[in-house]
Amino acid sequence: MRKKIIAGNWKMYKTASEAAELMDALKKDIGGVSAVDVVVCPPFVHLGSTVEACKATSIAVGAQNIYWEEFGAFTGEVCGAMLTSVGVKYVIIGHSERRQFFGETNETVNKRTKAALKHGLKPIVCVGENLAEREAGRTFDVIRDHVMGSLSGFTKEDMLKIVLAYEPVWAIGTGKTATSQQAQEVHKFIRDLLLKMFDRATAEAMRIQYGGSVKPENITELVAQPDIDGALVGGASLKADSFAAIVRNSMN
Ligand code: PEP
């Protein structure tokens, strides 16, 4: 039985006081939830304070990126040792906004994922097709390319520490959610692919989140699908009431 995981990606939102306010509200509402794993992923500058805010709660903190090198002259980058030193447990890797605006490729996603594992961080590796690719009937080709390219060279043991996030780019921040059937179809495709790449036990143990305009109103149906193990939430994670409702409704 895979434990569901709901992660909030705050992207480049929230000043320090806004982040503290959001965490205060989340702690009161869902700070004691243990039936699902709850993760919040603030911008780098709020990681330390958010970890502090999450003490004595069941909420874990994730970063939105990681650089693959150890310490060095890499201005603007943040490495694994820095993340773990402030208590970060997860890291989002290869989000479509990084692929689209910052030149992220399967190769760099692979390097970042290796670095995360080396430092004991749990990577949330994002894959997903854009609208043109879906309309051209290339969804499964793109997903195969993202999964195989991003996850090459890992052992079965590594894979069990990785969470995959299927995020159709056309559904991110657009209000257009994939139907639960569309999402399930791709999640099943990914699980079958993991079976071919590794084995049945690994494929069945790995958690695959859905991401793309997840809201309190659609999460229950999404997680009722056999291969959907939670959600990566953007916009709706920025308000305590909607994120808390998503967490609660994922347990129904
Ligand atoms: C995301 O950023 O990963 C995301 C899924 O965003 P949204 O929920 O706003 O579509």
Side-chain angles (χ1 to χ4, degrees):
M1 186 69 178
R2 296 180 296 269
K3 189 173 185 187
K4 298 208 167 23
I5 172 166
I6 305 291
N9 172 13
W10 296 3
K11 310 194 184 196
M12 198 179 73
Y13 291 104
K14 303 291 175 193
T15 60
S17 60
E18 289 166 349
E21 205 178 305
L22 175 55
M23 282 317 303
D24 273 349
L26 285 179
K27 268 191 326 191
K28 282 186 201 125
D29 205 337
I30 51 166
V33 167
S34 59
V36 299
D37 286 336
V38 180
V39 185
V40 291
C41 303
F44 285 130
V45 289
H46 305 320
L47 286 171
S49 56
T50 306
V51 168
E52 222 24 66
C54 288
K55 285 221 168 105
T57 77
S58 52
I59 304 173
V61 178
Q64 297 175 20
N65 199 6
I66 177 174
Y67 193 50
W68 54 83
E69 295 287 352
E70 299 292 325
F71 299 98
F74 302 105
T75 302
E77 294 300 319
V78 172
C79 67
M82 292 172 184
L83 296 178
T84 55
S85 73
V86 295
V88 167
K89 301 281 186 230
Y90 289 83
V91 55
I92 299 172
I93 300 177
H95 189 277
S96 63
E97 286 150 18
R98 305 255 8 130
R99 291 184 190 256
Q100 194 180 345
F101 304 123
F102 301 99
E104 195 81 71
T105 61
N106 289 338
E107 194 189 344
T108 56
V109 171
N110 188 270
K111 286 178 166 182
R112 293 184 206 281
T113 307
K114 283 191 178 128
L117 290 175
K118 183 172 170 207
H119 287 278
L121 291 158
K122 293 179 191 145
I124 297 177
V125 176
C126 304
V127 301
E129 82 288 0
N130 64 31
L131 186 59
E133 290 162 342
R134 175 160 280 262
E135 287 179 346
R138 297 191 49 238
T139 298
F140 293 138
D141 291 340
V142 173
I143 299 301
R144 187 184 302 104
D145 176 64
H146 281 181
V147 172
M148 295 186 75
S150 304
L151 300 178
S152 75
F154 291 110
T155 64
K156 291 181 213 168
E157 292 68 36
D158 290 334
M159 293 304 287
L160 298 178
K161 296 172 195 147
I162 296 173
V163 176
L164 273 171
Y166 167 56
E167 300 208 300
V169 180
W170 49 272
I172 296 182
T174 59
K176 276 191 209 163
T177 322
T179 63
S180 46
Q181 288 75 18
Q182 281 173 319
Q184 165 59 24
E185 187 184 32
V186 179
H187 281 237
K188 166 96 171 62
F189 175 82
I190 295 173
R191 207 172 297 287
D192 288 345
L193 187 58
L194 293 171
L195 191 143
K196 284 182 206 137
M197 291 167 70
F198 299 92
D199 59 16
R200 182 168 299 279
T202 309
E204 282 181 359
M206 279 193 70
R207 297 188 288 183
I208 310 173
Q209 296 176 300
Y210 169 77
S213 298
V214 171
K215 302 182 266 289
E217 297 75 31
N218 58 23
I219 184 69
T220 310
E221 191 182 331
L222 285 162
V223 295
Q225 304 305 309
D227 291 294
I228 301 183
D229 306 311
L232 181 54
V233 185
S237 73
L238 299 173
K239 290 206 173 111
D241 54 355
S242 51
F243 190 62
I246 288 171
V247 169
R248 275 196 303 272
N249 293 354
S250 74
M251 299 187 279
N252 289 341

